Amino acid sequence: MALAVGAMGLEAVFGSNLHEAAVREVWIPAVAASGDFPEKHRRLVQFALLAANGHNTQPWFFEVSQNTIFIRPDLSRRTPVVDPDDHHLYASLGCATENLRLAAESSGFAVEIKPHETGVLVHLEPATARLSPLFQAISHRQCVRADYDGTQASNEVLEALQQAGQSDGVQMRLFTDKRELNALKELVIAGNSAQMGDPAFVKELKHWIRFNGAQADRSRDGLYAGSTGNPSVPTWIGSRLFDFAFRKASENTKYVGHVDSSAGMAVIIAERDDPIGWIEAGRACQRFGLEATLQGLKYAFLNQPIEVLSVRQEFQKFLGSDKRPNLLMRFGNGPSVPRSLRRRLDDVMRVV
Ligand SMILES: Cc1cc2nc3c(=O)[nH]c(=O)nc-3n(C[C@H](O)[C@H](O)[C@H](O)COP(=O)(O)O)c2cc1C
């Protein structure tokens, strides 16, 4: 407690007002984009940036013309330890694609999406605007890595989540049964234990942590401590605290609480196991997150059983599936947390 109070004081010194201003600049209200090219298209890209993405590396670059937006992978933002084959990187492009589609359709475009090995080509044709509720959820969605309140979700809500997270070529499986959730929890703990015992994983994760608002504002990427439920402290203290306090036992205890307090968990499984399938999995997971938001729920990822190869095999046995599971998430009633940032539009797009 003393640490948290002290940290809040320090946050004032380390620029919390500036951080709040940056948050407001990034998380614009979900209002249909208007105007002409390229201003209208810039707005669409801003909505795409608000998508979920692994470690908040924002591994994308947008090439924008009047009728197309090409979303390219930014391979300088890979996370080779946790994501050696770039699965999460392409899934993150899929998340951005889905936000872009929803924003474009709500802003008067018919959209055609062509995922490639080299990125995602999004075609835009003027059409009647179709304002969608999922679009309106874009500015409210966030990953909440906190305990939820343990309440269950109604069948109607579960049905809506199911519909949102599946599509041609992508299967969504929801789990709410206690025994199944316990089995998933064991897999999360096994995966987390393996990752915590891997110095390369811990080093890569630490590289993407932003220990205070000022540090987050400088890079505008990475995992802001406030968003992940940790106190905001000066970087040098955060770095030492991380080395001292980031331990397998306490992390596992945290994840037990996270699963036990959730209403359920969701797994996304794409038919194809290649960048095109991973992009489709990302699109489905973004729709799932937006639908959860629309239903007043919070969600967060628990991908450890997918990221650790030996545990992934156990996970596939649990699922009775010969397909690679792509993403594992939990959902439930939970608090809001401070927002993560995004890089500036001019750093991630160019008009061609
Ligand atoms: C492909 C993918 C994998 C992710 N894996 C994890 C994960 O294993 N654990 C986690 O806490 N968050 C995970 N996330 C969530 C991101 O860290 C989060 O989206 C990012 O920090 C931005 O925060 P926001 O979604 O609240 O805007 C993942 C997101 C994506 C798209």
Side-chain angles (χ1 to χ4, degrees):
M1 185 61 181
L3 179 62
V5 172
M8 282 161 65
L10 287 165
E11 179 64 51
V13 179
F14 281 80
S16 108
N17 286 344
L18 285 175
H19 181 66
E20 284 311 311
V23 165
R24 275 196 301 279
E25 182 192 317
V26 168
W27 290 92
I28 55 171
V31 176
S34 57
D36 297 323
F37 174 79
E39 277 318 307
K40 184 169 183 176
H41 295 59
R42 286 173 64 84
R43 202 73 173 165
L44 300 182
V45 174
Q46 182 66 38
F47 288 121
L49 302 187
L50 301 184
N53 65 95
H55 279 15
N56 199 22
T57 67
Q58 306 163 43
W60 42 51
F61 192 82
F62 297 79
E63 288 174 1
V64 179
S65 73
Q66 187 130 21
N67 295 108
T68 60
I69 298 181
F70 199 87
I71 311 177
R72 288 194 185 282
D74 179 347
L75 297 177
S76 69
R77 292 181 165 265
R78 298 179 67 234
T79 48
V81 180
V82 72
D83 188 28
D85 58 2
D86 294 330
H87 169 279
H88 287 358
L89 187 148
Y90 281 94
S92 301
L93 297 192
C95 293
T97 302
E98 203 55 16
N99 269 17
L100 182 62
R101 176 186 74 80
L102 291 163
E105 287 178 353
S106 297
S107 306
F109 290 107
V111 180
E112 197 187 344
I113 292 169
K114 293 192 180 142
H116 294 272
E117 303 275 334
T118 53
V120 187
L121 184 59
V122 180
H123 275 279
L124 305 172
E125 284 296 330
T128 308
R130 287 188 292 140
L131 194 67
S132 78
L134 287 191
F135 167 63
Q136 291 169 315
I138 284 178
S139 319
H140 302 285
R141 183 209 61 81
Q142 60 171 180
C143 291
V144 174
R145 302 170 186 88
D147 282 349
Y148 298 161
D149 72 1
T151 52
Q152 296 187 344
S154 69
N155 287 339
E156 290 75 40
V157 168
L158 293 174
E159 181 56 27
L161 294 174
Q162 175 76 44
Q163 291 302 330
Q166 67 192 19
S167 63
D168 279 355
V170 181
Q171 194 193 348
M172 145 121 313
R173 290 184 54 186
L174 289 179
F175 296 93
T176 54
D177 175 79
K178 198 72 195 158
R179 267 177 315 179
E180 289 176 327
L181 291 177
N182 281 337
L184 285 169
K185 182 171 68 186
E186 292 307 321
L187 291 165
V188 170
I189 299 305
N192 192 59
S193 299
Q195 289 180 329
M196 295 293 299
D198 176 0
F201 170 85
V202 175
K203 185 174 173 205
E204 182 179 80
L205 178 64
K206 186 177 176 186
H207 173 76
W208 287 102
I209 292 180
R210 308 291 174 251
F211 293 103
N212 51 70
Q215 192 192 12
D217 293 354
R218 275 195 297 277
S219 67
R220 290 191 162 232
D221 61 11
L223 301 161
Y224 169 46
S227 310
T228 54
N230 291 301
S232 195
V233 292
T235 308
W236 68 272
I237 296 182
S239 173
R240 280 171 179 70
L241 266 181
F242 181 89
D243 295 340
F244 174 73
F246 191 60
R247 291 278 176 266
K248 188 192 322 187
S250 54
E251 286 297 296
N252 281 345
T253 304
K254 178 182 84 181
Y255 287 121
V256 166
H258 284 181
V259 176
D260 285 348
S261 64
S262 294
M265 295 182 79
V267 186
I268 285 177
I269 309 166
E271 199 62 40
R272 295 175 65 140
D273 188 20
D274 61 11
I276 293 174
W278 305 339
I279 289 166
E280 291 300 344
R283 293 183 61 195
C285 113
Q286 185 67 12
R287 282 196 307 277
F288 175 86
L290 292 171
E291 184 64 45
T293 306
L294 206 57
Q295 299 292 340
L297 298 176
K298 298 295 193 288
Y299 83 119
F301 292 78
L302 288 172
N303 285 322
Q304 295 91 335
I306 296 169
E307 291 159 355
V308 177
L309 204 54
S310 56
V311 184
R312 192 194 301 167
Q313 284 156 2
E314 292 303 307
F315 190 17
Q316 282 186 228
K317 271 192 220 152
F318 166 83
L319 294 168
S321 166
D322 60 354
K323 302 255 175 278
R324 170 187 184 151
N326 298 98
L327 296 156
L328 174 62
M329 295 167 284
R330 67 188 177 101
F331 56 91
N333 279 304
S336 295
V337 293
R339 295 216 162 249
S340 61
L341 283 181
R342 297 294 187 274
R343 287 181 293 152
R344 289 196 175 79
L345 211 41
D346 288 332
D347 295 332
V348 294
M349 71 163 273
R350 81 186 158 99
V351 176
V352 293

XYZ file of all heavy atoms in Angstrom, residues 27 50-56 87-89 91-92 95 141-145 222-223 255 285 299-304 307 327 339-340 342, ligand 1:
310
model
N -7.171 7.456 -27.903
C -8.456 6.743 -27.786
C -9.613 7.660 -28.179
O -10.423 8.054 -27.338
C -8.615 6.160 -26.377
C -7.658 5.017 -26.177
C -6.395 5.096 -25.666
C -7.862 3.656 -26.543
N -5.805 3.845 -25.693
C -6.682 2.942 -26.224
C -8.929 2.953 -27.127
C -6.543 1.574 -26.458
C -8.785 1.584 -27.352
C -7.605 0.919 -27.014
N -6.193 1.008 -32.647
C -6.739 0.734 -31.312
C -6.954 -0.759 -31.066
O -7.470 -1.162 -30.022
C -8.055 1.501 -31.116
C -7.944 3.030 -31.259
C -9.279 3.702 -30.947
C -6.859 3.583 -30.344
N -6.547 -1.575 -32.035
C -6.738 -3.028 -31.900
C -5.799 -3.617 -30.846
O -4.730 -3.071 -30.570
C -6.467 -3.691 -33.247
N -6.215 -4.763 -30.309
C -5.322 -5.553 -29.454
C -4.114 -5.978 -30.279
O -4.216 -6.165 -31.504
C -6.055 -6.791 -28.931
N -2.958 -6.115 -29.645
C -1.765 -6.615 -30.354
C -0.759 -7.115 -29.328
O -0.661 -6.566 -28.225
C -1.185 -5.518 -31.258
C -0.650 -4.329 -30.483
O 0.534 -4.258 -30.188
N -1.526 -3.396 -30.083
N -0.031 -8.163 -29.684
C 0.850 -8.837 -28.734
C 1.902 -7.901 -28.137
O 2.603 -7.207 -28.886
N 2.004 -7.853 -26.803
C 2.966 -7.007 -26.069
C 2.837 -5.529 -26.434
O 3.731 -4.730 -26.147
C 4.417 -7.450 -26.339
C 4.883 -8.637 -25.529
N 4.039 -9.472 -24.839
C 6.146 -9.126 -25.307
C 4.753 -10.423 -24.238
N 6.024 -10.235 -24.501
N 1.768 -5.165 -27.110
C 1.592 -3.785 -27.599
C 2.811 -3.287 -28.383
O 3.213 -2.127 -28.275
C 1.267 -2.824 -26.439
C 0.632 -1.520 -26.928
O 0.063 -1.457 -28.020
N 0.737 -0.473 -26.135
N 3.434 -15.875 -35.304
C 1.988 -16.138 -35.229
C 1.240 -14.953 -34.627
O 0.260 -14.454 -35.199
C 1.742 -17.398 -34.383
C 0.308 -17.595 -34.020
N -0.295 -16.927 -32.980
C -0.660 -18.346 -34.592
C -1.569 -17.273 -32.918
N -1.817 -18.145 -33.879
N 1.702 -14.473 -33.450
C 1.004 -13.365 -32.779
C 1.101 -12.091 -33.610
O 0.189 -11.263 -33.602
C 1.606 -13.090 -31.395
C 1.276 -14.139 -30.367
N 0.471 -15.223 -30.610
C 1.658 -14.248 -29.062
C 0.368 -15.958 -29.508
N 1.092 -15.386 -28.555
N 2.237 -11.944 -34.282
C 2.423 -10.740 -35.106
C 1.333 -10.690 -36.195
O 0.665 -9.667 -36.378
C 3.827 -10.755 -35.712
C 4.265 -9.503 -36.465
C 5.776 -9.308 -36.309
C 3.938 -9.607 -37.946
N -1.509 -12.399 -36.174
C -2.823 -12.289 -35.510
C -3.101 -10.826 -35.158
O -4.241 -10.350 -35.277
C -2.855 -13.156 -34.259
N -2.048 -10.090 -34.760
C -2.217 -8.668 -34.426
C -2.620 -7.876 -35.674
O -3.463 -6.968 -35.600
C -0.919 -8.101 -33.832
O -0.561 -8.810 -32.661
N -6.235 -8.350 -36.008
C -7.017 -7.517 -35.076
C -7.190 -6.110 -35.670
O -8.293 -5.549 -35.674
C -6.317 -7.422 -33.719
S -6.234 -8.972 -32.791
N -12.970 -0.864 -25.772
C -12.327 -2.170 -25.546
C -10.954 -2.002 -24.910
O -10.205 -1.099 -25.258
C -12.169 -2.893 -26.905
C -11.592 -4.293 -26.796
C -10.833 -4.673 -28.037
N -9.714 -3.784 -28.255
C -8.527 -3.891 -27.639
N -8.301 -4.864 -26.789
N -7.565 -3.005 -27.866
N -10.647 -2.848 -23.974
C -9.292 -2.905 -23.431
C -9.092 -4.279 -22.806
O -10.055 -4.948 -22.443
C -9.050 -1.808 -22.380
C -9.942 -1.860 -21.190
C -9.547 -0.901 -20.071
O -10.198 -0.863 -19.050
N -8.496 -0.139 -20.225
N -7.844 -4.706 -22.729
C -7.541 -5.956 -22.040
C -7.420 -5.649 -20.552
O -6.681 -4.730 -20.175
C -6.225 -6.546 -22.543
S -6.347 -7.135 -24.236
N -8.125 -6.398 -19.737
C -8.114 -6.143 -18.290
C -7.508 -7.353 -17.576
O -8.127 -8.402 -17.456
C -9.532 -5.817 -17.771
C -9.514 -5.701 -16.246
C -10.034 -4.531 -18.402
N -6.265 -7.161 -17.111
C -5.536 -8.247 -16.443
C -5.718 -8.078 -14.935
O -4.788 -7.696 -14.230
C -4.060 -8.188 -16.801
C -3.792 -8.277 -18.299
C -2.344 -7.979 -18.586
N -2.043 -7.906 -19.989
C -2.150 -6.798 -20.729
N -2.589 -5.679 -20.182
N -1.820 -6.808 -22.006
N 4.401 -0.822 -25.996
C 4.759 -1.645 -24.849
C 3.667 -1.729 -23.797
O 2.584 -1.158 -23.931
N 4.006 -2.472 -22.747
C 3.029 -2.793 -21.705
C 3.189 -1.803 -20.564
O 4.110 -1.917 -19.752
C 3.275 -4.231 -21.230
C 3.150 -5.280 -22.354
C 3.841 -6.575 -21.955
C 1.687 -5.520 -22.693
N -2.455 -15.892 -11.688
C -3.246 -16.487 -12.781
C -4.338 -17.422 -12.266
O -5.408 -17.522 -12.866
C -2.329 -17.195 -13.784
C -1.562 -16.196 -14.633
C -0.177 -16.173 -14.664
C -2.248 -15.240 -15.384
C 0.515 -15.238 -15.411
C -1.567 -14.301 -16.139
C -0.185 -14.307 -16.149
O 0.488 -13.372 -16.884
N -10.646 -12.814 -33.041
C -10.406 -12.474 -31.625
C -10.721 -11.011 -31.360
O -11.207 -10.661 -30.288
C -9.006 -12.907 -31.208
S -7.858 -11.629 -30.819
N -12.146 -8.635 -20.858
C -11.479 -9.855 -21.307
C -9.979 -9.663 -21.256
O -9.493 -8.529 -21.176
C -11.959 -10.252 -22.716
C -11.252 -9.519 -23.849
C -10.512 -10.221 -24.794
C -11.299 -8.134 -23.961
C -9.848 -9.568 -25.831
C -10.638 -7.477 -24.997
C -9.919 -8.192 -25.917
O -9.267 -7.535 -26.917
N -9.269 -10.787 -21.276
C -7.793 -10.734 -21.306
C -7.288 -12.042 -21.901
O -7.996 -13.060 -21.896
C -7.232 -10.532 -19.906
N -6.066 -11.979 -22.414
C -5.456 -13.159 -23.046
C -4.679 -13.968 -22.013
O -4.066 -13.402 -21.103
C -4.472 -12.725 -24.128
C -5.123 -12.065 -25.326
C -5.549 -10.744 -25.271
C -5.281 -12.769 -26.508
C -6.134 -10.133 -26.371
C -5.863 -12.162 -27.620
C -6.285 -10.838 -27.554
N -4.693 -15.271 -22.191
C -3.849 -16.183 -21.386
C -3.246 -17.184 -22.366
O -3.658 -18.343 -22.419
C -4.702 -16.912 -20.338
C -5.211 -16.105 -19.150
C -6.186 -16.931 -18.318
C -4.050 -15.631 -18.280
N -2.279 -16.737 -23.135
C -1.786 -17.564 -24.246
C -0.656 -18.511 -23.874
O -0.121 -19.194 -24.754
C -1.313 -16.654 -25.389
C -2.491 -16.065 -26.134
O -3.488 -16.742 -26.340
N -2.373 -14.802 -26.521
N -0.306 -18.581 -22.598
C 0.846 -19.403 -22.202
C 0.754 -20.837 -22.724
O 1.766 -21.370 -23.202
C 0.985 -19.426 -20.667
C 1.310 -18.080 -20.037
C 0.081 -17.283 -19.645
O -0.992 -17.472 -20.204
N 0.234 -16.399 -18.689
N 1.830 -20.734 -26.336
C 3.181 -20.244 -26.631
C 4.264 -21.277 -26.297
O 5.327 -21.287 -26.917
C 3.425 -18.947 -25.852
C 2.574 -17.799 -26.398
C 2.364 -16.652 -25.419
O 2.786 -16.757 -24.257
O 1.758 -15.653 -25.823
N -5.489 -18.648 -30.035
C -5.555 -17.643 -28.959
C -6.464 -18.149 -27.857
O -7.499 -18.762 -28.133
C -6.077 -16.312 -29.514
C -5.154 -15.679 -30.565
C -5.925 -14.738 -31.471
C -3.986 -14.969 -29.929
N -5.412 3.010 -19.641
C -5.309 2.580 -21.040
C -3.866 2.444 -21.502
O -2.977 3.160 -21.037
C -6.006 3.606 -21.921
C -7.464 3.654 -21.630
C -8.221 3.898 -22.881
N -9.587 3.523 -22.663
C -10.153 2.480 -23.240
N -9.456 1.731 -24.062
N -11.403 2.206 -23.024
N -3.675 1.566 -22.462
C -2.368 1.457 -23.117
C -2.303 2.513 -24.230
O -3.340 2.976 -24.698
C -2.201 0.066 -23.710
O -3.187 -0.166 -24.678
N -0.752 4.135 -28.070
C -0.414 3.730 -29.439
C 0.510 4.780 -30.026
O 0.447 5.963 -29.641
C -1.671 3.620 -30.324
C -2.662 2.569 -29.887
C -2.102 1.147 -30.010
N -3.137 0.139 -29.745
C -3.450 -0.316 -28.529
N -2.815 0.142 -27.461
N -4.388 -1.232 -28.385
C -1.994 -12.019 -30.712
C -2.082 -11.445 -29.332
C -1.489 -12.097 -28.263
C -1.588 -11.562 -26.967
N -1.079 -12.285 -25.911
C -1.261 -11.816 -24.649
C -0.898 -12.609 -23.532
O -0.473 -13.770 -23.665
N -1.064 -12.104 -22.289
C -1.606 -10.860 -22.094
O -1.750 -10.442 -20.943
N -2.000 -10.087 -23.141
C -1.844 -10.544 -24.408
N -2.296 -9.803 -25.466
C -2.923 -8.480 -25.224
C -1.981 -7.337 -25.550
O -0.918 -7.253 -24.622
C -2.793 -6.016 -25.583
O -3.716 -6.088 -26.629
C -1.893 -4.818 -25.762
O -1.056 -4.638 -24.649
C -2.701 -3.515 -25.957
O -3.565 -3.302 -24.892
P -5.137 -3.134 -25.108
O -5.622 -4.344 -25.846
O -5.728 -3.032 -23.727
O -5.346 -1.887 -25.906
C -2.239 -10.323 -26.767
C -2.838 -9.678 -27.849
C -2.777 -10.234 -29.115
C -3.481 -9.569 -30.260
